[in-house]
Amino acid sequence: MAEFLLVILLASIVCVLPIVTWAAAGSGYPYLIDGKGKIMDDFSGNRESRTVNATDYYFIYVEFSNPAEQPTDLVRVFHIVNVIDDKGYPHFVDGNNYGNHTVAGHAPSEYSFFWNPLVPGNYTVETFLVSDYETPQALTNVVTFQVNVDEKVAALGEGQSNGRLQVDIVNEADNSATISYDYCDEIPPYMHHTSATLHPGEYVSINSVDAYLAEIRGGIATFKFVTNGGSDFCLL
């Protein structure tokens, strides 16, 4: 764990330090301005997420503007994302390679990064663009915004699904719910379908999450989802 945090902290320093030094050197920084960041449900930035739940999938989206009248050519563009928890520790740091990129004059330029928040809490997102990754040079200012990640809870009746599982039967007589779901393993064909009957407090592991049956009330089964360190991506 200590080695992991050290790698993340070093990555943060490598990415952020050149922004300060390069901007001070007067190199025309920033090339793109007026950054706006938010959490989206899709890569293209068409659906903003009103709520963010742990163990679900989102995109960290940022849009910058080219202040120049002429097109601006950017070389080896990387979209850098740094997510920090409420104690100041890095939760997630990475960069998405956009390659060479030309932004039209007085035009917006959009960038997205895949994000799977695992633990509920309050987070600060820092996102910006650099040119090159080994010796990064700043292309933009740092855009900062806050995100609250809620616990993943789903209340489902018979025949309803939340993408992880489907409720097939709600049996209030014995306080149980029968569910069906797909899961991955290393045995061909890798993706499998199965079912299970749960009572409150019991759970099944569905790829990267454990799905707990919290309660049954009024014909509705309520589930809580907790990360377990697994993966949602099946072998092909």
Side-chain angles (χ1 to χ4, degrees):
M1 182 65 179
E3 292 179 354
F4 171 77
L5 288 176
L6 178 60
V7 170
I8 296 300
L9 289 171
L10 287 175
S12 301
I13 293 171
V14 168
C15 291
V16 175
L17 184 58
I19 289 181
V20 179
T21 57
W22 200 46
S27 302
Y29 165 87
Y31 286 103
L32 304 180
I33 62 173
D34 297 332
K36 300 177 180 65
K38 50 191 172 183
I39 303 299
M40 310 299 290
D41 290 326
D42 67 324
F43 180 83
S44 58
N46 293 320
R47 298 192 307 273
E48 182 173 3
S49 179
R50 299 300 180 183
T51 60
V52 179
N53 297 314
T55 75
D56 282 349
Y57 292 93
Y58 304 93
F59 293 91
I60 295 173
Y61 170 90
V62 65
E63 179 181 299
F64 293 98
S65 297
N66 179 10
E69 294 184 6
Q70 301 299 320
T72 297
D73 295 321
L74 306 176
V75 180
R76 297 192 66 190
V77 177
F78 284 86
H79 175 206
I80 306 300
V81 168
N82 183 25
V83 181
I84 305 167
D85 67 20
D86 56 3
K87 295 181 176 60
Y89 292 103
H91 163 78
F92 174 78
V93 179
D94 212 334
N96 195 10
N97 185 359
Y98 273 80
N100 297 339
H101 191 50
T102 297
V103 184
H106 295 306
S109 188
E110 304 169 346
Y111 306 86
S112 292
F113 203 101
F114 184 72
W115 182 42
N116 172 217
L118 299 178
V119 180
N122 297 312
Y123 296 90
T124 299
V125 177
E126 297 177 341
T127 182
F128 51 95
L129 304 182
V130 296
S131 179
D132 203 344
Y133 198 63
E134 296 178 356
T135 56
Q137 293 181 318
L139 300 175
T140 69
N141 60 320
V142 178
V143 174
T144 302
F145 61 98
Q146 306 298 315
V147 177
N148 181 63
V149 178
D150 297 324
E151 182 180 44
K152 174 64 175 178
V153 178
L156 305 170
E158 288 188 356
Q160 294 183 324
S161 170
N162 75 329
R164 289 279 187 188
L165 58 84
Q166 176 176 303
V167 174
D168 297 323
I169 300 172
V170 175
N171 188 338
E172 295 190 80
D174 72 351
N175 203 31
S176 71
T178 299
I179 63 172
S180 56
Y181 58 93
D182 295 324
Y183 70 96
C184 299
D185 62 19
E186 297 180 354
I187 301 174
Y190 308 119
M191 176 72 79
H192 310 277
H193 187 77
T194 191
S195 62
T197 298
L198 302 176
H199 293 85
E202 297 178 337
Y203 73 94
V204 292
S205 295
I206 307 176
N207 302 328
S208 68
V209 304
D210 293 334
Y212 287 82
L213 177 59
E215 67 172 3
I216 294 175
R217 182 180 300 178
I220 301 298
T222 299
F223 297 86
K224 293 185 178 180
F225 298 83
V226 181
T227 184
N228 61 21
S231 173
D232 282 329
F233 300 100
C234 286
L235 296 173
L236 298 179

